[in-house]
Amino acid sequence: MNGQLRDYDYELPEELIAQRPLARRADSRMMVLHRAARRIEHRSFADLPQFLAPGDLLVLNNTRVVKARHFSDDGAIEFLFLEELQPRRWRCLVKPGRKMRVGAATRVAGIATRVEEICVDGSRVVALEGDLARERGGVVPLPPYLRRAAEAEDEHRYQTVYAQVPGAVAAPTAGLHFTPEMLARLPHTFVTLHVGTGTFAPVKTEEIARHEMHEEWFSVSSAAAAAINAARRIVAVGTTSVRLLEAAQRTDGRLLPQEGRTSIFLHPPQEIRRVDRLLTNFHLPRSTLLMLVSAFAAPNETRGKEIVQAAYAEAIRHRYRFFSYGDAMLIS
């Protein structure tokens, strides 16, 4: 039987959803999952260097979250500006959607805005009568499970310390634990994948293989490709780094410098070939990210799910903090 959505569900006490970051980034806890032995250690993120060996290379996604969330001038409509399709023509998520059917109009930052099209996924194509700079007047688009408005602190804490390339609407959250001092001591390289809403879009098909991901832009520099090809082991920081590495590799496993777009969806029983260890956070039930982690734990569909389900149950028992501002998990 093909993988079923219900197989990736679990119950999470709401109080374990981290609503705010810790005072210091590196103070997070870190569950270490030894997948072959099915053994778990409870450690601190500061212990990460102890699990690295000579020749290991951290691969980090240096995308930068843009202030893509805007509100209509009357405050009635929320827009998440995802992508500029053409000058003054954007693809957006809009809430509440019932108020913004085709032809509906409002003003954003003083600019007349009208819905031209409703896409299959529910997003809107809107036409603006002026130029909109997403960063000017926008706010950080926090995930909906953070049940609060974005605050000044989020402008730098919902951003990795190495974020360089603007374009994401969500943070690659596994990297939020790093400090500049810690990163300076570890061998690493940067790639870029602009995290879009497709990474977090709910899976609506019971048979998970039927789910379609939205495309996301990525880039691998010459320096990054050379470092990755020369590494003994690859430690991917975050699921977005895994998706990029799997999408960009050639059939012989090597990477070439490149730019492109990917809609790759990694789930059991697919084998993840280019990554040896994965540093990640704890992910939402029924999400594509949880499916990717299960595939990494073991390509065997049943075994991968069982390993991750047991680890998540252990994390809940030990009161780990979940999701974007939560604790870390190292799968070795």
Side-chain angles (χ1 to χ4, degrees), residues 110-171:
I111 302 170
T113 303
R114 183 176 61 83
V115 177
E116 285 191 337
E117 178 185 347
I118 299 178
C119 304
V120 174
D121 62 0
S123 63
R124 269 63 171 167
V125 176
V126 301
L128 286 76
E129 291 186 0
D131 296 320
L132 176 81
R134 280 194 295 184
E135 291 286 292
R136 190 180 308 128
V139 296
V140 174
L142 294 181
Y145 49 77
L146 297 184
R147 304 190 186 282
R148 59 181 178 82
E151 301 171 0
E153 179 186 42
D154 297 306
E155 292 191 14
H156 68 275
R157 290 304 303 271
Y158 192 64
Q159 200 85 264
T160 63
V161 297
Y162 49 82
Q164 296 174 343
V165 186
V169 296

Side-chain angles (χ1 to χ4, degrees), residues 18-29 153 157 177 321 325-327:
Q19 292 295 315
R20 297 181 184 278
L22 296 175
R24 298 188 302 181
R25 291 178 184 265
D27 283 352
S28 298
R29 299 165 71 191
E153 179 186 42
R157 290 304 303 271
H177 308 284
R321 302 166 72 249
Y325 278 145
D327 293 315

